Amino acid sequence: MTATAGAVRGPVVSASTRTAIAYTVRRTGVTVGTILFSLVVLLLGWQLAVSTSHISSFIAKGPIDVWNYFTQDGDGGTAAAHQRTLFALLGVTLQDASIGFLVGVPLSVLVSVAFTMFRPVEFMFMPVAMLLRTVPLLAMAPVIYIVFGNGAVTAALIGTVVVFFPLLVNLTVGLRSVSQQSVDLVRVYGGSRFTVLRKVAVPTALPHFFASMRIAVPGAITGAMLYEYLFTTTGLGAAVPAAKAAFDYQLIWASTVFVTIVSVVLYTITAIVEAAVLSEWGPDAGKASGR
């Protein structure tokens, strides 16, 4: 009887695994709940502002108007046509955003590691990076366009500028915030600077990294839309001025809501990934001596 019971017994989940799962679920629940509550408050405030304002209903659209644009046929076209148009525009914008994101994130990580490992490099280039950061992107974008022309390179550079600097600063701070006790412990056992980086600095910097990623993900979309607004005729960024010229205010409001929803979804996914990764280390990632 005992042998049979042992044969059908399921896999044993360790206490640390249960703690990690509970941490992930709790952080995910708090993040999703907070975002949903904020969206409800925003929608109610938006509808109230539109209802109480004296702006023409031809220009000002509320949440109900945008919902009807997505779901009901009207004089401006069918709901299916509206959905196809917005998804096509979104596909272009996400493609442009992904270029800048995929270039900016690895580049910022590599530069942050170089700054951490080699102090003279940071002393030479960090002031230059901060100086470039003070230049408004709207002023920098035409210069990039003049030098590199229209295309993927310009989209990548504009998106990289948006993504690169927040990640660079926060990740560098995170990599430098290791406790001296942890560094001394690694050194006692013969660890090198790269061992300290891998075993202590990287886990410590994880919260800083994901905090920057929550900014970088919607920031990449903003950079892509700026590129489209200034230099192309495709994507959500270019659709807004085109719709304004055609007095298609429904499309303007729908595009704004659509890209906002996508940004919130991507932000939520980033937060869920953050919770799952940090659950392995706990909320004080890299600071516990037992890791």
Side-chain angles (χ1 to χ4, degrees):
M1 187 68 176
T2 304
T4 303
V8 299
R9 183 179 299 169
V12 178
V13 180
S14 64
S16 61
T17 302
R18 289 196 298 268
T19 302
I21 294 174
Y23 177 81
T24 303
V25 172
R26 184 173 64 254
R27 283 286 302 269
T28 301
V30 170
T31 300
V32 174
T34 302
I35 291 175
L36 290 177
F37 177 77
S38 301
L39 287 177
V40 170
V41 173
L42 178 62
L43 290 175
L44 291 176
W46 175 16
Q47 184 62 49
L48 180 63
V50 171
S51 301
T52 57
S53 67
H54 300 289
I55 304 176
S56 170
S57 59
F58 178 73
I59 298 176
K61 306 295 181 182
I64 297 176
D65 299 317
V66 174
W67 175 256
N68 292 336
Y69 183 82
F70 278 108
T71 59
Q72 297 181 10
D73 299 341
D75 296 336
T78 63
H82 297 158
Q83 294 170 13
R84 285 194 301 269
T85 299
L86 287 171
F87 276 107
L89 294 172
L90 175 66
V92 176
T93 299
L94 289 180
Q95 180 179 349
D96 293 333
S98 64
I99 296 174
F101 184 82
L102 294 176
V103 172
V105 172
L107 181 62
S108 62
V109 172
L110 291 175
V111 174
S112 298
V113 171
F115 283 178
T116 303
M117 301 297 295
F118 309 103
R119 289 295 184 93
V121 176
E122 179 182 7
F123 293 150
M124 285 188 297
F125 292 105
M126 182 63 89
V128 177
M130 293 300 96
L131 179 63
L132 291 175
R133 184 66 184 93
T134 61
V135 179
L137 184 59
L138 192 61
M140 189 183 301
V143 177
I144 297 174
Y145 177 80
I146 292 173
V147 175
F148 296 98
N150 193 10
V153 175
T154 300
L157 288 174
I158 293 176
T160 299
V161 170
V162 178
V163 171
F164 177 78
F165 291 105
L167 266 171
L168 174 64
V169 174
N170 288 342
L171 193 54
T172 302
V173 171
L175 291 173
R176 292 204 182 284
S177 62
V178 298
S179 65
Q180 189 59 44
Q181 293 86 346
S182 300
V183 175
D184 293 339
L185 180 62
V186 174
R187 293 287 173 82
V188 165
Y189 284 95
S192 64
R193 288 189 302 170
F194 292 99
T195 305
V196 173
L197 176 69
R198 183 169 57 90
K199 294 288 187 178
V200 181
V202 170
T204 302
L206 285 177
H208 297 79
F209 173 76
F210 283 108
S212 301
M213 288 291 287
R214 293 199 300 267
I215 301 173
V217 169
I221 296 179
T222 302
M225 291 189 65
L226 177 63
Y227 162 72
E228 294 164 354
Y229 179 83
L230 293 175
F231 307 125
T232 73
T233 58
T234 59
L236 289 170
V240 172
K244 180 181 178 182
F247 300 100
D248 190 356
Y249 294 102
Q250 282 275 34
L251 179 58
I252 295 176
W253 284 93
S255 300
T256 303
V257 172
F258 201 47
V259 74
T260 301
I261 292 174
V262 171
S263 298
V264 170
V265 170
L266 294 177
Y267 177 96
T268 305
I269 293 173
T270 304
I272 293 173
V273 173
E274 175 188 9
V277 172
L278 294 186
S279 67
E280 176 65 21
W281 301 94
D284 297 323
K287 298 180 182 179
S289 58
R291 286 286 181 183

